[in-house]
Amino acid sequence: MLNIKSHLSQLLVEALNVVAPDALGTSIELTRPKQESHGDFSCNIAMQLAKPLQRKPREVAKDIVDALPHSPWVEKTEIAGAGFINFFLSSASKQRVVNAILQTGEAYGHAASNGKRMQVEFVSANPTGPLHVGHGRGAAFGASLANVLAAVGYQVAREYYVNDAGRQMDILALSTWLRYLEFNGINVPFPPNAYQGDYVRDMAKIIQDHHGDRYIHEPWRVLDGAPSVEEDADGHLDQLIANAKRLLSEDYAYIHNLALTEQLGDCRNDLTEFGVVFDRWFSEKSLFDSALVERALALLEQNGHLYVQDGATWFRSTQYGDEKDRVVKRENGQFTYFASDIAYHLNKFERGFDELINVWGADHHGYIARVKGALQAMGLDPDKLTIALVQFAVLYRGGEKVSMSTRSGEFVTLRELRSEVGNDAARFFYVLRKSDQHLDFDLDLAKSQSSDNPVYYIQYAHARCCSVLAKWGGAPAMLASVADLAKLAIPYELTLLKRLNDYPETVEMAARELAPHLIAYYLKELAADFHSYYNGEQFLVEDESTRLARLALVLATRQTLKNGLALLGVSAPEKM
RNA sequence: GCGCCCGUAGCUCAGCUGGAUAGAGUACUUGGCUACGAACCAAGGGGUCAGGGGUUCGAAUCCCUUCGGGCGCACCA
């Protein structure tokens, strides 16, 4: 398929070759003018060359236009403003897109494989409780981004990093056990910094149902040696964890594992229902089991990037622009989260991906320097890793900010949101704005206004297309061969054709900028063009050739809407 | 205090590597169903692009600065 933009670009190169051979290195920019009167494409090359050539921009423009080879796709060119060269395309060049879409179908807008493997790691929330609406944004963004990257030709691996090895999991296991004791009338005060959510009680209930009083221990043993909560809340918790491990012995692993399995399973189901699926769930614990953490640190050690101070082992991240050096192994001998993350990234590189993307909450931005520093210190190329930051969604209920903390159990879950506004609206709403922009999520508004959500505007356009084609009753597959596209010449149609032409480039840009919201905005505009057309013209007209041409355009519009919605994980219903 | 992100219509937000008269949605005011689905369309009012300076043919966009918000600055994850 001939790409109009690159075609124009080629014409300009040939013209430049005549007018200013020395300036061939100048990049040629072709943009879509905002104003229709400025043509279909506009080029500012003459203004860029004016200075080096020491000539007036409009004169340069005139020479370039005179030197442009003739093209059947270009109807006319003109020089405008300060020296813009505007291209007006022939109708025929715009009409061709319909056939292109009908021939490629679901692949329209998708590029062929570029042979590169890319990994997108996202969500990666601690499996210590249900996903909340903040995670939902990372999930929707990451999933859409992965789809967009796959559409432009990458072989994309979607991965979830499971923090199953840290202190947080121990706290969850402890919390579960304490609730279990509570069920059995054992009175141990539940620490305020343990997990408060009801799901912890649910897990305690499961243990109770399956194992009765097997895990009961006396309160004084549970609390043995623990400082008071007021005195040292974290110390209190850590001592209780230590006591749990000692008292329960191997049974501790059972509770720990049950909590992990339950929460991870819940998380996976939740995401699957949300249309977010992963190729791999990567266990942090496996990094320790395979001694990769030790190996990664040994690598840093041998390159001289580690040192011991105050009993802890530090990574000299300040050498790579970090604010301060970071501990990788604590005084108590335990590795930090950072240590396993270094190992994890080493593992990613060893798997041979060409590019890596980590989707992180924006509160982790201070973490970027040290991770990239560690990569560099291990002799790996930090530029292969891109961090896409997603601002957390801030919830508002009744005009007031809802504070969210998994620990306190006060949060709105993703599941809750999905059931309130639906998967489609939630997916769309999440990616409707730039990812690095704060998202003010007014719950009342999201719930009450669900029918005002722009996603319905787009889905409605799709349903209308389906409805028209159904009313016509013919076989859509034949339209590609029988429609005379030259009949598509009124402004509504030319506008729509132009929009359809823009789709592949929009996908490319969304991939390049890691910005799936561009797809959402494109779809809104495509739907708007279609709705205007629908209201302004009758499709099922008497004249057969006009009718078939219009139906072909409707079919092409439907296909493009569907393709775009698919990238966002939003359904394209035939009826609403 | 230091670092990163942000400030665009009453509200929520777009604005691509600098381009021509800054755009949507919502809200408000009008008009359009005996036509393929009115969950739609058409028209209108609404702006010192936070303030100031700079770079240049040209700045919402790039640089500096002030003000105002958010986030981060652990031997937590």
Side-chain angles (χ1 to χ4, degrees):
Chain A
M1 183 181 72
L2 177 66
N3 180 301
I4 283 291
K5 195 169 170 179
S6 54
H7 174 66
L8 294 179
S9 194
Q10 186 55 37
L11 296 180
L12 284 163
V13 166
E14 287 178 37
L16 276 185
N17 207 9
V18 176
V19 177
D22 297 339
L24 269 179
T26 313
S27 72
I28 294 173
E29 298 171 21
L30 282 162
T31 56
R32 288 288 204 189
K34 276 176 274 189
Q35 284 211 93
E36 210 159 322
S37 62
H38 293 148
D40 296 300
F41 283 97
S42 180
C43 184
N44 64 0
I45 189 77
M47 287 178 284
Q48 290 194 334
L49 290 179
K51 197 166 201 177
L53 295 180
Q54 295 192 317
R55 299 181 56 195
K56 290 179 181 172
R58 288 190 69 107
E59 283 177 15
V60 178
K62 183 167 189 316
D63 286 355
I64 292 174
V65 168
D66 287 345
L68 279 173
H70 178 264
S71 161
W73 306 124
V74 179
E75 192 169 278
K76 65 165 177 168
T77 56
E78 67 174 27
I79 298 161
F84 292 100
I85 300 172
N86 293 338
F87 292 87
F88 294 78
L89 302 178
S90 66
S91 296
S93 72
K94 298 177 188 174
Q95 289 151 355
R96 297 175 318 132
V97 73
V98 172
N99 271 334
I101 295 170
L102 299 189
Q103 279 159 20
T104 48
E106 288 183 0
Y108 178 63
H110 294 207
S113 169
N114 62 12
K116 288 186 179 168
R117 292 173 59 222
M118 181 180 258
Q119 187 209 50
V120 180
E121 182 218 319
F122 59 112
V123 188
S124 301
N126 280 349
T128 53
L131 295 171
H132 56 64
V133 293
H135 299 127
R137 189 173 187 194
F141 172 77
S144 298
L145 177 62
N147 289 344
V148 167
L149 291 168
V152 298
Y154 288 96
Q155 184 185 326
V156 179
R158 298 156 173 86
E159 187 154 311
Y160 187 120
Y161 181 54
V162 183
N163 298 120
D164 53 3
R167 178 168 176 264
Q168 297 305 318
M169 274 309 301
D170 280 326
I171 297 175
L172 181 69
L174 172 73
S175 305
T176 307
W177 185 49
L178 291 176
R179 288 303 190 201
Y180 161 85
L181 292 175
E182 205 173 270
F183 276 140
N184 286 279
I186 308 293
N187 187 23
V188 176
F190 198 82
N193 49 352
Y195 288 105
Q196 308 282 337
D198 289 338
Y199 61 92
V200 178
R201 286 196 175 84
D202 295 342
M203 293 192 293
K205 187 75 173 35
I206 292 173
I207 298 173
Q208 171 75 39
D209 290 348
H210 287 73
H211 301 279
D213 59 3
R214 174 172 173 173
Y215 307 114
I216 292 179
H217 288 267
E218 294 176 70
W220 69 270
R221 287 188 189 278
V222 177
L223 292 164
D224 190 25
S228 73
V229 170
E230 295 74 25
E231 194 183 322
D232 178 3
D234 277 335
H236 178 84
L237 214 52
D238 286 335
Q239 187 59 52
L240 260 56
I241 290 169
N243 292 349
K245 287 180 175 172
R246 195 182 63 249
L247 292 167
L248 292 164
S249 181
E250 283 109 49
D251 289 341
Y252 180 81
Y254 159 74
I255 294 177
H256 186 281
N257 194 46
L258 177 127
L260 173 64
T261 309
E262 284 293 317
Q263 294 315 310
L264 206 53
D266 177 73
C267 181
R268 190 196 303 244
N269 290 340
D270 200 8
L271 289 168
T272 301
E273 285 170 19
F274 198 36
V276 178
V277 293
F278 292 89
D279 299 298
R280 184 162 178 184
W281 297 67
F282 193 98
S283 158
E284 177 188 8
K285 190 166 168 293
S286 73
L287 294 168
F288 291 99
D289 295 344
S290 62
L292 192 61
V293 178
E294 284 84 348
R295 189 152 65 81
L297 294 188
L299 201 53
L300 292 175
E301 171 83 70
Q302 109 195 12
N303 293 351
H305 298 293
L306 298 184
Y307 64 92
V308 175
Q309 191 182 327
D310 303 330
T313 305
W314 299 70
F315 167 57
R316 216 182 297 276
S317 55
T318 45
Q319 282 195 336
Y320 302 101
D322 199 2
E323 295 165 358
K324 55 173 297 213
D325 292 342
R326 307 291 172 176
V327 171
V328 289
K329 192 174 187 177
R330 294 198 276 266
E331 196 178 356
N332 65 12
Q334 288 191 315
F335 292 107
T336 60
Y337 172 86
F338 180 41
S340 42
D341 223 15
I342 293 171
Y344 180 38
H345 283 85
L346 174 60
N347 170 277
K348 290 187 182 192
F349 272 77
E350 288 184 341
R351 277 189 270 165
F353 292 110
D354 294 294
E355 288 178 59
L356 302 170
I357 291 180
N358 290 359
V359 177
W360 283 353
D363 55 335
H364 284 61
H365 68 74
Y367 206 77
I368 298 174
R370 77 190 75 164
V371 170
K372 291 211 166 198
L375 290 176
Q376 216 170 327
M378 288 189 291
L380 304 170
D381 179 9
D383 291 335
K384 279 191 175 181
L385 172 67
T386 303
I387 312 289
L389 294 178
V390 178
Q391 293 284 349
F392 265 37
V394 182
L395 282 185
Y396 288 85
R397 173 178 275 146
E400 283 188 24
K401 192 172 173 179
V402 180
S403 71
M404 286 201 299
S405 154
T406 312
R407 194 79 59 80
S408 71
E410 185 195 350
F411 53 84
V412 177
T413 64
L414 173 59
R415 193 171 264 122
E416 202 176 330
L417 178 78
R418 291 195 295 107
S419 70
E420 295 284 349
V421 308
N423 285 325
D424 285 339
R427 283 290 298 259
F428 192 83
F429 198 88
Y430 271 133
V431 297
L432 190 51
R433 51 213 55 190
K434 273 190 307 198
S435 58
D436 59 357
Q437 196 78 262
H438 291 270
L439 173 56
D440 285 346
F441 208 128
D442 187 327
L443 274 176
D444 303 319
L445 202 69
K447 289 171 184 174
S448 68
Q449 278 203 336
S450 60
S451 66
D452 282 340
N453 195 300
V455 70
Y456 294 104
Y457 181 77
I458 297 163
Q459 289 181 318
Y460 185 49
H462 181 268
R464 269 184 155 175
C465 292
C466 295
S467 180
V468 169
L469 291 163
K471 188 83 177 179
W472 167 56
M478 64 173 264
L479 286 171
S481 51
V482 301
D484 174 13
L485 301 177
K487 295 286 183 179
L488 302 173
I490 62 177
Y492 284 126
E493 290 160 351
L494 295 174
T495 300
L496 193 49
L497 288 168
K498 193 164 155 183
R499 187 77 65 191
L500 292 172
N501 252 311
D502 283 342
Y503 180 67
E505 201 175 325
T506 302
V507 177
E508 275 168 36
M509 188 178 296
R512 195 168 58 244
E513 306 282 325
L514 309 184
H517 76 278
L518 294 175
I519 304 292
Y521 277 90
Y522 171 84
L523 290 173
K524 277 169 72 173
E525 299 194 323
L526 174 58
D529 291 338
F530 178 75
H531 284 310
S532 294
Y533 182 30
Y534 184 97
N535 278 280
E537 292 293 328
Q538 182 83 5
F539 301 147
L540 301 176
V541 291
E542 285 293 319
D543 180 65
E544 186 185 30
S545 128
T546 302
R547 185 171 69 239
L548 292 177
R550 289 181 175 180
L551 285 166
L553 179 56
V554 169
L555 185 60
T557 302
R558 181 179 80 168
Q559 184 69 59
T560 306
L561 286 168
K562 190 177 180 183
N563 292 3
L565 286 170
L567 292 180
L568 301 182
V570 177
S571 70
E574 298 189 0
K575 288 180 182 174
M576 295 176 67

